[in-house]
Amino acid sequence: MILLRALACQMPALLLTVGLAYWLPIFHHPIVFLFSQSGLAVGGSLLLRQPTWWIPIHLLFLPSVFVFFTLALPAWWYLFIVVTLTLIFWGTIRGDVPLFLSSSEVAQAVITLLQQEHALTFADLGAGVGSVAIPVAKNLPETQVEAWERAPFPWLISAWRGRGLLNYTASRRNFFAADFAKYDVIFAFLSPLAMPDVSEKIKRKMRSGTLFISSSFPAPDWQPESILRMNDRRKTVLYCYRID
Ligand SMILES: C[S@@+](CC[C@H](N)C(=O)[O-])C[C@H]1O[C@@H](n2cnc3c(N)ncnc32)[C@H](O)[C@@H]1O
């Protein structure tokens, strides 16, 4: 379905640009052709209300295909690139959140919150390469840290970075399989698309009095107990929710 929507942006944009090139010679210029197609594909993506991370994908898709063909790389390069991107972005094509990394300011704010909460158990749902989970495990040796990540490459990096940390576990699994009732604090940096399902499970399964921290995306229909604004490059906002 997600792939079909992406095609529904790319294909009409391509046909329209081919049509324009038929009537208007300016579109014979590769740059004009490629960027008109990309621009139209982005327009389609906005119309279909795809998540914002599709914008760079649509913008770069046809220009990248063009560049790779002009470079005439050996065939195994294509396989290598596809396999590497698949291992990094694993479920993105099915609608999972792609890999974005939290800043060190976010990691420090989470550490401070865990200290205030006297948390002994912590989970990062979709831990990526461990940008938050690793500093937490290093700074709070009393806290058991579980980093859930199902994309193979990020998981491998997180597991490698956590080797030797006795309070750190990197699980290469869907975080919906986690027992949310185990944790004193859960952190997630996901997407608006993921928030309804995640916050519904958090509300149902986390123990009363525990804390859920959502980076960047608020949980729908839930009043945060506090909101923390980071001074990092992305001006990240942390939404903190107390479980009733
Ligand atoms: C935006 S990144 C955040 C990475 C890390 N938490 C951080 O703050 O730097 C989201 C990560 O969640 C992972 N992810 C998305 N859905 C998942 C799921 N259902 N189970 C496990 N990991 C998931 C993605 O593979 C991606 O690496």
Side-chain angles (χ1 to χ4, degrees), residues 41-226:
V42 168
S45 175
L46 294 174
L47 271 179
L48 292 182
R49 295 171 186 267
Q50 285 193 298
T52 42
W53 65 75
W54 279 97
I55 292 177
I57 297 176
H58 285 303
L59 265 184
L60 295 177
F61 180 70
L62 202 63
S64 316
V65 172
F66 178 78
V67 168
F68 279 120
F69 274 112
T70 357
L71 288 178
L73 295 171
W76 64 267
W77 260 88
Y78 297 102
L79 183 66
F80 174 76
I81 291 167
V82 169
V83 171
T84 309
L85 289 178
T86 308
L87 291 175
I88 296 174
F89 293 106
W90 203 241
T92 306
I93 212 75
R94 288 195 311 265
D96 269 7
V97 190
L99 180 65
F100 293 113
L101 305 183
S102 289
S103 62
S104 54
E105 285 87 343
V106 169
Q108 188 48 55
V110 172
I111 291 169
T112 307
L113 284 166
L114 285 162
Q115 284 169 326
Q116 287 165 3
E117 296 290 314
H118 304 291
L120 294 176
T121 45
F122 169 73
D124 183 347
L125 307 182
V129 299
S131 311
V132 172
I134 291 284
V136 166
K138 281 188 176 159
N139 283 279
L140 305 175
E142 302 299 313
T143 307
Q144 286 304 316
V145 175
E146 291 188 11
W148 291 78
E149 173 56 57
R150 70 175 170 191
F153 254 12
W155 164 79
L156 198 64
I157 295 172
S158 137
W160 173 257
R161 293 178 71 198
R163 75 195 184 289
L165 290 171
L166 296 177
N167 60 335
Y168 187 78
T169 315
S171 299
R172 204 192 83 67
R173 292 182 63 195
N174 185 343
F175 58 66
F176 280 107
D179 175 9
F180 286 17
K182 258 170 61 179
Y183 309 110
D184 296 328
V185 176
I186 289 183
F187 170 83
F189 174 22
L190 296 167
S191 77
L193 208 69
M195 288 318 288
D197 286 350
V198 172
S199 59
E200 188 272 328
K201 182 163 177 187
I202 294 270
K203 279 179 180 165
R204 218 163 18 87
K205 296 286 182 179
M206 278 187 84
R207 281 174 284 113
S208 165
T210 55
L211 190 72
F212 171 51
I213 309 166
S214 176
S215 174
S216 310
F217 307 108
D221 307 320
W222 198 1
Q223 192 60 34
E225 178 184 81
S226 61

